[in-house]
Every structure is written in structure tokens, then in C-alpha cells.
């Protein structure tokens, strides 16, 4: 019963976080013509962390103010995982349906960012290393790569899950 309650709670808040991440990504792509996959993914991390915080806090509030670290970590971890899976699945399907325009924009932004640091990179690491870095940036990732990248990078939010769970934990004590 407790496990299914945690899963339902986490799925609810994870789905909301994913929906907001998707809306922000579509605004980035169609509104300001920035790829939602590269360095413009930062708002998605903030959204996930915010909903991890909300999910753990509301779980504790509906649990008579009691929350163990294990419960808090489970709620936060699953909220983040569900949000990442839903968002990654949407990105995968979006790229399959809409084509490679968003990926090509991502590659273009990566190449532009590398070209900005060309002089200092060549000075510090050499021309061969810079050419290797540039050739990596020019590689065109697949929709599957974007799916895995989304899931992998969102797992960085586990640090936030741990900290929030530690802060929000609260136990009841009985004096016999």
C-alpha cells in the first residue's frame, strides 16, 4: 500500500514536471529558436528540482507531517525519474515526427560555442585537440541519443533529492 502511494504521488508530480519541461522546450525551439537539448536544458533541471521539492513536501504534509529519509528519497527519486522518462519519450517521438531540425540546431549551437573558445583552447591544449573537439561537436546525434542524454543528465537531480530528503525528514517520537 505504501509503495503504491509513493508511486502514484511521484507519477503525478513527475508528469506535471515533464509537461512543464516539454512546454518550455517547445517555447525555446519554436519561440526563440534555441535547441532544447544542449545547454538550454538548464530550465528543465530547475523545473525538476522544484517539483521534487513540491512532491516531497506534499507527501510529508499528507503523511501527518512524518517523513523518513527513505520515503523522501523514494518520492524524490521517482518524481525525477518519471519526469525524465516522460520528457525523454516526448523528445524521442518529437524528433522522429518533426525531423532533424532541432538536432541540427543543437549541433550548430555546439559548433558556435566551440568556435568562441578556439584561440584559448588551441593555446592551452593544441590544434589537434581543438580539431578533435570540433569534429565531435559536428557529429549528428540520433533521437535515441537524445532520449538517453535526457535521462542521464536529469539523474544529476539525485543530489537535490538527497538534500531535500534530509532537510524534510521528520519522525514522530513516543516517550514510554
Amino acid at each position: 500500500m505504501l509503495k503504491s502511494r509513493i508511486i502514484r504521488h511521484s507519477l503525478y508530480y513527475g508528469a506535471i514536471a515533464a509537461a512543464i519541461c516539454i512546454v518550455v522546450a517547445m517555447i525555446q525551439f519554436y519561440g526563440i529558436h534555441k535547441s532544447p537539448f544542449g545547454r538550454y536544458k538548464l530550465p528543465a533541471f530547475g523545473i525538476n528540482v522544484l517539483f521534487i521539492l513540491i512532491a516531497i513536501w506534499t507527501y510529508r504534509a499528507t503523511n501527518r507531517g512524518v517523513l523518513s529519509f527513505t520515503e523522501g528519497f523514494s518520492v524524490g527519486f521517482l518524481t525525477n525519474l518519471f519526469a525524465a522518462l516522460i520528457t525523454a519519450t516526448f523528445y524521442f517521438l518529437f524528433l522522429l515526427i518533426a525531423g532533424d531540425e532541432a538536432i541540427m540546431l543543437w549541433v550548430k549551437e555546439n559548433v558556435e560555442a566551440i568556435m568562441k573558445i578556439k584561440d584559448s583552447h588551441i593555446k592551452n591544449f593544441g590544434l589537434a585537440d581543438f580539431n578533435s573537439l570540433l569534429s565531435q561537436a559536428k557529429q549528428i546525434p540520433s533521437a535515441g541519443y537524445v532520449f538517453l542524454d535526457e535521462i542521464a543528465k536529469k539523474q544529476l537531480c539525485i543530489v537535490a533529492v538527497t538534500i531535500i530528503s534530509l532537510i524534510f525528514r521528520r519522525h514522530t517520537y513516543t516517550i514510554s
Side-chain angles (χ1 to χ4, degrees), residues 13-27:
Y13 285 100
I16 294 171
I20 293 171
C21 285
I22 290 166
V23 167
V24 168
M26 293 299 102
I27 290 170

Side-chain angles (χ1 to χ4, degrees), residues 24-25 27 31 36 46-47 61-62 73 107 116 124 126 134 139 150 157 176:
V24 168
I27 290 170
I47 292 165
T62 60
F73 188 83
V107 170
K116 286 181 182 178
N124 294 326
L134 188 59
Q139 293 178 359
E150 177 70 14
C157 294
S176 302

Side-chain angles (χ1 to χ4, degrees), residues 61-133:
T62 60
N63 199 35
R64 297 182 309 269
V66 177
L67 179 76
S68 69
F69 172 77
T70 306
E71 288 173 317
F73 188 83
S74 297
V75 168
F77 177 81
L78 289 173
T79 299
N80 183 56
L81 183 64
F82 289 140
L85 282 171
I86 293 167
T87 306
T89 302
F90 175 84
Y91 287 167
F92 180 80
L93 295 172
F94 172 73
L95 291 172
L96 289 180
I97 294 167
D100 289 341
E101 183 183 353
I103 286 187
M104 296 310 293
L105 184 58
W106 184 18
V107 170
K108 178 182 167 236
E109 290 168 355
N110 287 341
V111 169
E112 287 172 357
I114 290 170
M115 292 308 290
K116 286 181 182 178
I117 63 165
K118 179 180 180 179
D119 294 334
S120 65
H121 194 89
I122 290 173
K123 180 182 171 188
N124 294 326
F125 301 104
L127 183 60
D129 191 67
F130 174 78
N131 287 333
S132 173
L133 184 64

Side-chain angles (χ1 to χ4, degrees), residues 6 9-14 48-62 67 71-72 75-80 164 168:
I6 288 173
H9 189 84
S10 299
L11 182 58
Y12 175 75
Y13 285 100
N48 271 26
V49 170
L50 176 65
F51 276 89
I52 289 166
L53 178 96
I54 292 169
I56 294 172
W57 183 74
T58 58
Y59 184 85
R60 184 180 83 173
T62 60
L67 179 76
E71 288 173 317
V75 168
F77 177 81
L78 289 173
T79 299
N80 183 56
I164 294 167
F168 280 166

